[in-house]
mmCIF file of all heavy atoms in Angstrom:
data_model
loop_
_atom_site.group_PDB
_atom_site.id
_atom_site.type_symbol
_atom_site.label_atom_id
_atom_site.label_comp_id
_atom_site.label_asym_id
_atom_site.label_seq_id
_atom_site.Cartn_x
_atom_site.Cartn_y
_atom_site.Cartn_z
ATOM 1 N N ALA A 1 74.856 -13.953 -166.853
ATOM 2 C CA ALA A 1 75.746 -13.106 -167.664
ATOM 3 C C ALA A 1 75.062 -11.788 -168.010
ATOM 4 O O ALA A 1 75.692 -10.714 -167.985
ATOM 5 C CB ALA A 1 76.144 -13.849 -168.932
ATOM 6 N N ARG A 2 73.786 -11.831 -168.336
ATOM 7 C CA ARG A 2 73.029 -10.616 -168.664
ATOM 8 C C ARG A 2 73.014 -9.648 -167.484
ATOM 9 O O ARG A 2 73.152 -8.431 -167.656
ATOM 10 C CB ARG A 2 71.602 -11.015 -169.071
ATOM 11 C CG ARG A 2 70.703 -9.859 -169.429
ATOM 12 C CD ARG A 2 69.403 -10.361 -170.046
ATOM 13 N NE ARG A 2 68.637 -11.211 -169.148
ATOM 14 C CZ ARG A 2 67.574 -11.940 -169.525
ATOM 15 N NH1 ARG A 2 67.181 -11.928 -170.777
ATOM 16 N NH2 ARG A 2 66.937 -12.688 -168.658
ATOM 17 N N THR A 3 72.863 -10.184 -166.282
ATOM 18 C CA THR A 3 72.844 -9.339 -165.091
ATOM 19 C C THR A 3 74.228 -8.799 -164.762
ATOM 20 O O THR A 3 74.392 -7.635 -164.400
ATOM 21 C CB THR A 3 72.288 -10.136 -163.900
ATOM 22 O OG1 THR A 3 70.964 -10.578 -164.210
ATOM 23 C CG2 THR A 3 72.238 -9.283 -162.646
ATOM 24 N N LEU A 4 75.245 -9.641 -164.893
ATOM 25 C CA LEU A 4 76.604 -9.206 -164.578
ATOM 26 C C LEU A 4 77.062 -8.079 -165.492
ATOM 27 O O LEU A 4 77.815 -7.193 -165.081
ATOM 28 C CB LEU A 4 77.569 -10.384 -164.689
ATOM 29 C CG LEU A 4 77.354 -11.538 -163.707
ATOM 30 C CD1 LEU A 4 78.375 -12.630 -163.936
ATOM 31 C CD2 LEU A 4 77.414 -11.036 -162.275
ATOM 32 N N LEU A 5 76.613 -8.104 -166.748
ATOM 33 C CA LEU A 5 76.997 -7.064 -167.695
ATOM 34 C C LEU A 5 76.495 -5.690 -167.256
ATOM 35 O O LEU A 5 77.089 -4.662 -167.578
ATOM 36 C CB LEU A 5 76.454 -7.412 -169.090
ATOM 37 C CG LEU A 5 76.965 -6.575 -170.255
ATOM 38 C CD1 LEU A 5 78.468 -6.739 -170.424
ATOM 39 C CD2 LEU A 5 76.248 -6.977 -171.543
ATOM 40 N N LEU A 6 75.404 -5.685 -166.506
ATOM 41 C CA LEU A 6 74.848 -4.422 -166.004
ATOM 42 C C LEU A 6 75.763 -3.788 -164.950
ATOM 43 O O LEU A 6 75.675 -2.584 -164.701
ATOM 44 C CB LEU A 6 73.459 -4.682 -165.413
ATOM 45 C CG LEU A 6 72.573 -3.498 -165.063
ATOM 46 C CD1 LEU A 6 72.227 -2.686 -166.307
ATOM 47 C CD2 LEU A 6 71.297 -3.975 -164.370
ATOM 48 N N ASN A 7 76.621 -4.609 -164.327
ATOM 49 C CA ASN A 7 77.542 -4.155 -163.290
ATOM 50 C C ASN A 7 76.806 -3.404 -162.175
ATOM 51 O O ASN A 7 77.116 -2.253 -161.845
ATOM 52 C CB ASN A 7 78.624 -3.249 -163.895
ATOM 53 C CG ASN A 7 79.754 -2.977 -162.911
ATOM 54 O OD1 ASN A 7 80.006 -3.774 -162.013
ATOM 55 N ND2 ASN A 7 80.413 -1.837 -163.068
ATOM 56 N N PRO A 8 75.810 -4.043 -161.549
ATOM 57 C CA PRO A 8 75.013 -3.352 -160.532
ATOM 58 C C PRO A 8 75.721 -3.324 -159.187
ATOM 59 O O PRO A 8 76.616 -4.133 -158.913
ATOM 60 C CB PRO A 8 73.748 -4.213 -160.464
ATOM 61 C CG PRO A 8 74.246 -5.600 -160.771
ATOM 62 C CD PRO A 8 75.375 -5.430 -161.764
ATOM 63 N N SER A 9 75.324 -2.410 -158.335
ATOM 64 C CA SER A 9 75.862 -2.355 -156.974
ATOM 65 C C SER A 9 75.171 -3.362 -156.074
ATOM 66 O O SER A 9 75.719 -3.766 -155.047
ATOM 67 C CB SER A 9 75.683 -0.946 -156.397
ATOM 68 O OG SER A 9 76.366 0.002 -157.179
ATOM 69 N N ILE A 10 73.941 -3.738 -156.446
ATOM 70 C CA ILE A 10 73.157 -4.691 -155.657
ATOM 71 C C ILE A 10 72.762 -5.840 -156.570
ATOM 72 O O ILE A 10 72.241 -5.615 -157.667
ATOM 73 C CB ILE A 10 71.898 -4.022 -155.066
ATOM 74 C CG1 ILE A 10 72.296 -2.841 -154.175
ATOM 75 C CG2 ILE A 10 71.066 -5.027 -154.291
ATOM 76 C CD1 ILE A 10 71.121 -1.998 -153.722
ATOM 77 N N LEU A 11 73.022 -7.058 -156.128
ATOM 78 C CA LEU A 11 72.637 -8.247 -156.876
ATOM 79 C C LEU A 11 71.466 -8.931 -156.184
ATOM 80 O O LEU A 11 71.454 -9.062 -154.954
ATOM 81 C CB LEU A 11 73.802 -9.242 -156.962
ATOM 82 C CG LEU A 11 74.871 -9.029 -158.032
ATOM 83 C CD1 LEU A 11 75.977 -10.059 -157.862
ATOM 84 C CD2 LEU A 11 74.273 -9.132 -159.423
ATOM 85 N N VAL A 12 70.491 -9.363 -156.975
ATOM 86 C CA VAL A 12 69.361 -10.124 -156.460
ATOM 87 C C VAL A 12 69.298 -11.430 -157.231
ATOM 88 O O VAL A 12 69.061 -11.434 -158.439
ATOM 89 C CB VAL A 12 68.034 -9.342 -156.617
ATOM 90 C CG1 VAL A 12 66.854 -10.211 -156.211
ATOM 91 C CG2 VAL A 12 68.073 -8.076 -155.784
ATOM 92 N N LEU A 13 69.561 -12.523 -156.551
ATOM 93 C CA LEU A 13 69.585 -13.846 -157.173
ATOM 94 C C LEU A 13 68.454 -14.665 -156.568
ATOM 95 O O LEU A 13 68.570 -15.176 -155.442
ATOM 96 C CB LEU A 13 70.935 -14.535 -156.945
ATOM 97 C CG LEU A 13 72.170 -13.702 -157.297
ATOM 98 C CD1 LEU A 13 73.445 -14.444 -156.927
ATOM 99 C CD2 LEU A 13 72.184 -13.340 -158.770
ATOM 100 N N ASP A 14 67.361 -14.765 -157.296
ATOM 101 C CA ASP A 14 66.179 -15.466 -156.792
ATOM 102 C C ASP A 14 66.305 -16.951 -157.133
ATOM 103 O O ASP A 14 65.800 -17.412 -158.151
ATOM 104 C CB ASP A 14 64.914 -14.864 -157.410
ATOM 105 C CG ASP A 14 63.653 -15.405 -156.741
ATOM 106 O OD1 ASP A 14 63.770 -16.299 -155.887
ATOM 107 O OD2 ASP A 14 62.555 -14.932 -157.083
ATOM 108 N N ASP A 15 67.006 -17.692 -156.247
ATOM 109 C CA ASP A 15 67.225 -19.118 -156.470
ATOM 110 C C ASP A 15 67.818 -19.343 -157.859
ATOM 111 O O ASP A 15 67.390 -20.215 -158.607
ATOM 112 C CB ASP A 15 65.913 -19.885 -156.316
ATOM 113 C CG ASP A 15 66.144 -21.304 -155.807
ATOM 114 O OD1 ASP A 15 67.308 -21.628 -155.505
ATOM 115 O OD2 ASP A 15 65.179 -22.066 -155.728
ATOM 116 N N SER A 16 68.816 -18.496 -158.216
ATOM 117 C CA SER A 16 69.286 -18.415 -159.593
ATOM 118 C C SER A 16 70.069 -19.635 -160.047
ATOM 119 O O SER A 16 70.371 -19.769 -161.221
ATOM 120 C CB SER A 16 70.174 -17.178 -159.762
ATOM 121 O OG SER A 16 71.283 -17.280 -158.890
ATOM 122 N N THR A 17 70.429 -20.534 -159.131
ATOM 123 C CA THR A 17 71.137 -21.752 -159.539
ATOM 124 C C THR A 17 70.311 -22.998 -159.262
ATOM 125 O O THR A 17 70.839 -24.099 -159.189
ATOM 126 C CB THR A 17 72.482 -21.857 -158.794
ATOM 127 O OG1 THR A 17 72.245 -21.819 -157.389
ATOM 128 C CG2 THR A 17 73.408 -20.730 -159.185
ATOM 129 N N SER A 18 68.993 -22.819 -159.150
ATOM 130 C CA SER A 18 68.142 -23.952 -158.802
ATOM 131 C C SER A 18 67.975 -24.936 -159.944
ATOM 132 O O SER A 18 67.572 -26.066 -159.736
ATOM 133 C CB SER A 18 66.765 -23.446 -158.356
ATOM 134 O OG SER A 18 66.144 -22.730 -159.411
ATOM 135 N N SER A 19 68.237 -24.497 -161.187
ATOM 136 C CA SER A 19 67.995 -25.362 -162.332
ATOM 137 C C SER A 19 69.252 -26.079 -162.819
ATOM 138 O O SER A 19 69.254 -26.646 -163.892
ATOM 139 C CB SER A 19 67.404 -24.537 -163.492
ATOM 140 O OG SER A 19 66.160 -24.024 -163.132
ATOM 141 N N VAL A 20 70.344 -26.025 -162.036
ATOM 142 C CA VAL A 20 71.572 -26.670 -162.472
ATOM 143 C C VAL A 20 71.947 -27.752 -161.474
ATOM 144 O O VAL A 20 71.552 -27.732 -160.317
ATOM 145 C CB VAL A 20 72.715 -25.641 -162.612
ATOM 146 C CG1 VAL A 20 72.371 -24.594 -163.640
ATOM 147 C CG2 VAL A 20 73.044 -24.978 -161.277
ATOM 148 N N ASP A 21 72.761 -28.701 -161.939
ATOM 149 C CA ASP A 21 73.229 -29.745 -161.042
ATOM 150 C C ASP A 21 74.265 -29.160 -160.088
ATOM 151 O O ASP A 21 74.770 -28.045 -160.273
ATOM 152 C CB ASP A 21 73.809 -30.904 -161.844
ATOM 153 C CG ASP A 21 74.937 -30.440 -162.752
ATOM 154 O OD1 ASP A 21 76.044 -30.182 -162.236
ATOM 155 O OD2 ASP A 21 74.702 -30.312 -163.972
ATOM 156 N N MET A 22 74.623 -29.960 -159.073
ATOM 157 C CA MET A 22 75.492 -29.431 -158.021
ATOM 158 C C MET A 22 76.876 -29.077 -158.545
ATOM 159 O O MET A 22 77.472 -28.093 -158.114
ATOM 160 C CB MET A 22 75.592 -30.445 -156.887
ATOM 161 C CG MET A 22 74.338 -30.540 -156.036
ATOM 162 S SD MET A 22 74.565 -31.571 -154.587
ATOM 163 C CE MET A 22 72.949 -31.410 -153.825
ATOM 164 N N GLU A 23 77.396 -29.880 -159.472
ATOM 165 C CA GLU A 23 78.729 -29.605 -159.987
ATOM 166 C C GLU A 23 78.748 -28.309 -160.788
ATOM 167 O O GLU A 23 79.642 -27.469 -160.632
ATOM 168 C CB GLU A 23 79.210 -30.768 -160.853
ATOM 169 C CG GLU A 23 80.675 -30.646 -161.238
ATOM 170 C CD GLU A 23 81.205 -31.922 -161.884
ATOM 171 O OE1 GLU A 23 80.457 -32.910 -161.964
ATOM 172 O OE2 GLU A 23 82.362 -31.894 -162.311
ATOM 173 N N THR A 24 77.722 -28.111 -161.635
ATOM 174 C CA THR A 24 77.637 -26.869 -162.408
ATOM 175 C C THR A 24 77.405 -25.685 -161.479
ATOM 176 O O THR A 24 77.996 -24.615 -161.647
ATOM 177 C CB THR A 24 76.491 -26.962 -163.429
ATOM 178 O OG1 THR A 24 76.689 -28.110 -164.252
ATOM 179 C CG2 THR A 24 76.419 -25.723 -164.286
ATOM 180 N N GLU A 25 76.571 -25.891 -160.476
ATOM 181 C CA GLU A 25 76.307 -24.821 -159.515
ATOM 182 C C GLU A 25 77.576 -24.443 -158.757
ATOM 183 O O GLU A 25 77.823 -23.274 -158.450
ATOM 184 C CB GLU A 25 75.218 -25.278 -158.550
ATOM 185 C CG GLU A 25 74.719 -24.186 -157.587
ATOM 186 C CD GLU A 25 75.496 -24.178 -156.281
ATOM 187 O OE1 GLU A 25 76.131 -25.198 -155.979
ATOM 188 O OE2 GLU A 25 75.488 -23.146 -155.598
ATOM 189 N N TYR A 26 78.401 -25.450 -158.480
ATOM 190 C CA TYR A 26 79.675 -25.205 -157.786
ATOM 191 C C TYR A 26 80.579 -24.306 -158.622
ATOM 192 O O TYR A 26 81.198 -23.360 -158.117
ATOM 193 C CB TYR A 26 80.328 -26.547 -157.507
ATOM 194 C CG TYR A 26 81.643 -26.463 -156.766
ATOM 195 C CD1 TYR A 26 81.686 -26.123 -155.422
ATOM 196 C CD2 TYR A 26 82.838 -26.735 -157.430
ATOM 197 C CE1 TYR A 26 82.896 -26.049 -154.747
ATOM 198 C CE2 TYR A 26 84.048 -26.659 -156.762
ATOM 199 C CZ TYR A 26 84.080 -26.316 -155.415
ATOM 200 O OH TYR A 26 85.275 -26.240 -154.759
ATOM 201 N N LEU A 27 80.630 -24.567 -159.924
ATOM 202 C CA LEU A 27 81.447 -23.746 -160.812
ATOM 203 C C LEU A 27 80.900 -22.322 -160.902
ATOM 204 O O LEU A 27 81.646 -21.342 -160.855
ATOM 205 C CB LEU A 27 81.496 -24.379 -162.209
ATOM 206 C CG LEU A 27 82.194 -25.745 -162.309
ATOM 207 C CD1 LEU A 27 82.009 -26.325 -163.710
ATOM 208 C CD2 LEU A 27 83.672 -25.618 -161.974
ATOM 209 N N ILE A 28 79.575 -22.208 -161.045
ATOM 210 C CA ILE A 28 78.954 -20.871 -161.121
ATOM 211 C C ILE A 28 79.204 -20.097 -159.832
ATOM 212 O O ILE A 28 79.510 -18.904 -159.837
ATOM 213 C CB ILE A 28 77.444 -20.995 -161.398
ATOM 214 C CG1 ILE A 28 77.208 -21.590 -162.793
ATOM 215 C CG2 ILE A 28 76.760 -19.642 -161.298
ATOM 216 C CD1 ILE A 28 75.756 -21.862 -163.097
ATOM 217 N N GLN A 29 79.072 -20.825 -158.697
ATOM 218 C CA GLN A 29 79.233 -20.148 -157.421
ATOM 219 C C GLN A 29 80.653 -19.614 -157.253
ATOM 220 O O GLN A 29 80.864 -18.519 -156.723
ATOM 221 C CB GLN A 29 78.890 -21.108 -156.282
ATOM 222 C CG GLN A 29 78.719 -20.426 -154.937
ATOM 223 C CD GLN A 29 77.548 -19.467 -154.948
ATOM 224 O OE1 GLN A 29 76.465 -19.788 -155.432
ATOM 225 N NE2 GLN A 29 77.741 -18.271 -154.439
ATOM 226 N N GLN A 30 81.642 -20.371 -157.742
ATOM 227 C CA GLN A 30 83.016 -19.892 -157.685
ATOM 228 C C GLN A 30 83.176 -18.581 -158.446
ATOM 229 O O GLN A 30 83.848 -17.648 -157.989
ATOM 230 C CB GLN A 30 83.957 -20.948 -158.278
ATOM 231 C CG GLN A 30 84.253 -22.116 -157.351
ATOM 232 C CD GLN A 30 85.248 -23.066 -157.980
ATOM 233 O OE1 GLN A 30 85.183 -23.358 -159.178
ATOM 234 N NE2 GLN A 30 86.194 -23.554 -157.180
ATOM 235 N N ALA A 31 82.550 -18.501 -159.620
ATOM 236 C CA ALA A 31 82.622 -17.270 -160.417
ATOM 237 C C ALA A 31 81.889 -16.131 -159.731
ATOM 238 O O ALA A 31 82.358 -14.991 -159.701
ATOM 239 C CB ALA A 31 82.038 -17.513 -161.804
ATOM 240 N N LEU A 32 80.730 -16.446 -159.146
ATOM 241 C CA LEU A 32 79.922 -15.391 -158.528
ATOM 242 C C LEU A 32 80.592 -14.822 -157.281
ATOM 243 O O LEU A 32 80.378 -13.661 -156.927
ATOM 244 C CB LEU A 32 78.532 -15.931 -158.175
ATOM 245 C CG LEU A 32 77.584 -16.175 -159.352
ATOM 246 C CD1 LEU A 32 76.262 -16.734 -158.858
ATOM 247 C CD2 LEU A 32 77.352 -14.896 -160.146
ATOM 248 N N GLU A 33 81.383 -15.636 -156.598
ATOM 249 C CA GLU A 33 82.041 -15.138 -155.387
ATOM 250 C C GLU A 33 82.922 -13.931 -155.695
ATOM 251 O O GLU A 33 82.967 -12.964 -154.932
ATOM 252 C CB GLU A 33 82.868 -16.265 -154.751
ATOM 253 C CG GLU A 33 82.012 -17.262 -153.998
ATOM 254 C CD GLU A 33 82.835 -18.433 -153.471
ATOM 255 O OE1 GLU A 33 84.077 -18.401 -153.643
ATOM 256 O OE2 GLU A 33 82.237 -19.350 -152.904
ATOM 257 N N ALA A 34 83.593 -13.984 -156.849
ATOM 258 C CA ALA A 34 84.431 -12.848 -157.237
ATOM 259 C C ALA A 34 83.573 -11.646 -157.602
ATOM 260 O O ALA A 34 83.910 -10.498 -157.275
ATOM 261 C CB ALA A 34 85.320 -13.238 -158.411
ATOM 262 N N VAL A 35 82.458 -11.920 -158.264
ATOM 263 C CA VAL A 35 81.573 -10.828 -158.694
ATOM 264 C C VAL A 35 80.898 -10.165 -157.493
ATOM 265 O O VAL A 35 80.642 -8.964 -157.487
ATOM 266 C CB VAL A 35 80.511 -11.370 -159.676
ATOM 267 C CG1 VAL A 35 79.544 -10.276 -160.091
ATOM 268 C CG2 VAL A 35 81.177 -11.970 -160.886
ATOM 269 N N MET A 36 80.619 -10.950 -156.450
ATOM 270 C CA MET A 36 79.917 -10.418 -155.289
ATOM 271 C C MET A 36 80.780 -9.471 -154.470
ATOM 272 O O MET A 36 80.251 -8.699 -153.663
ATOM 273 C CB MET A 36 79.446 -11.574 -154.396
ATOM 274 C CG MET A 36 78.307 -12.386 -154.978
ATOM 275 S SD MET A 36 77.878 -13.779 -153.891
ATOM 276 C CE MET A 36 76.627 -14.610 -154.891
ATOM 277 N N GLN A 37 82.082 -9.523 -154.664
ATOM 278 C CA GLN A 37 82.974 -8.650 -153.893
ATOM 279 C C GLN A 37 82.605 -7.187 -154.146
ATOM 280 O O GLN A 37 82.560 -6.728 -155.283
ATOM 281 C CB GLN A 37 84.433 -8.899 -154.295
ATOM 282 C CG GLN A 37 84.947 -10.285 -153.940
ATOM 283 C CD GLN A 37 84.933 -10.536 -152.448
ATOM 284 O OE1 GLN A 37 85.227 -9.627 -151.661
ATOM 285 N NE2 GLN A 37 84.591 -11.751 -152.048
ATOM 286 N N GLY A 38 82.324 -6.477 -153.056
ATOM 287 C CA GLY A 38 81.990 -5.066 -153.182
ATOM 288 C C GLY A 38 80.543 -4.816 -153.578
ATOM 289 O O GLY A 38 80.149 -3.663 -153.761
ATOM 290 N N ARG A 39 79.758 -5.886 -153.710
ATOM 291 C CA ARG A 39 78.338 -5.728 -154.068
ATOM 292 C C ARG A 39 77.459 -6.306 -152.964
ATOM 293 O O ARG A 39 77.749 -7.380 -152.424
ATOM 294 C CB ARG A 39 78.012 -6.447 -155.386
ATOM 295 C CG ARG A 39 78.594 -5.794 -156.615
ATOM 296 C CD ARG A 39 78.087 -6.520 -157.863
ATOM 297 N NE ARG A 39 78.487 -5.840 -159.079
ATOM 298 C CZ ARG A 39 79.634 -6.071 -159.731
ATOM 299 N NH1 ARG A 39 80.484 -6.971 -159.258
ATOM 300 N NH2 ARG A 39 79.932 -5.404 -160.824
ATOM 301 N N THR A 40 76.398 -5.612 -152.669
ATOM 302 C CA THR A 40 75.403 -6.158 -151.755
ATOM 303 C C THR A 40 74.599 -7.200 -152.520
ATOM 304 O O THR A 40 74.080 -6.917 -153.597
ATOM 305 C CB THR A 40 74.478 -5.047 -151.241
ATOM 306 O OG1 THR A 40 75.281 -4.008 -150.681
ATOM 307 C CG2 THR A 40 73.511 -5.572 -150.213
ATOM 308 N N THR A 41 74.498 -8.394 -151.948
ATOM 309 C CA THR A 41 73.859 -9.498 -152.676
ATOM 310 C C THR A 41 72.772 -10.132 -151.823
ATOM 311 O O THR A 41 72.999 -10.488 -150.658
ATOM 312 C CB THR A 41 74.898 -10.568 -153.057
ATOM 313 O OG1 THR A 41 75.969 -9.949 -153.767
ATOM 314 C CG2 THR A 41 74.269 -11.643 -153.924
ATOM 315 N N PHE A 42 71.578 -10.256 -152.417
ATOM 316 C CA PHE A 42 70.463 -10.975 -151.799
ATOM 317 C C PHE A 42 70.250 -12.264 -152.586
ATOM 318 O O PHE A 42 70.101 -12.232 -153.808
ATOM 319 C CB PHE A 42 69.186 -10.137 -151.839
ATOM 320 C CG PHE A 42 69.242 -8.910 -150.971
ATOM 321 C CD1 PHE A 42 69.867 -7.755 -151.408
ATOM 322 C CD2 PHE A 42 68.662 -8.908 -149.716
ATOM 323 C CE1 PHE A 42 69.923 -6.620 -150.618
ATOM 324 C CE2 PHE A 42 68.711 -7.782 -148.908
ATOM 325 C CZ PHE A 42 69.346 -6.633 -149.355
#
């Protein structure tokens, strides 16, 4: 959330969902897919 608020053109996610279970990661990933639109993401 802290990173998304910055509204950057480039996103860098260094294993950013490694500390969550698969179900929680699935929910986060769904949200991030919308955020990644129009952004270069590593």
Side-chain angles (χ1 to χ4, degrees):
R2 180 170 61 191
T3 301
L4 296 180
L5 191 62
L6 191 63
N7 191 26
S9 300
I10 301 171
L11 278 176
V12 174
L13 310 176
D14 189 355
D15 210 4
S16 60
T17 56
S18 61
S19 296
V20 299
D21 57 75
M22 286 188 178
E23 189 170 356
T24 304
E25 187 269 341
Y26 181 72
L27 295 173
I28 294 175
Q29 193 64 46
Q30 282 183 319
L32 287 179
E33 283 175 4
V35 178
M36 289 177 184
Q37 294 298 322
R39 289 186 173 89
T40 306
T41 306
F42 293 81

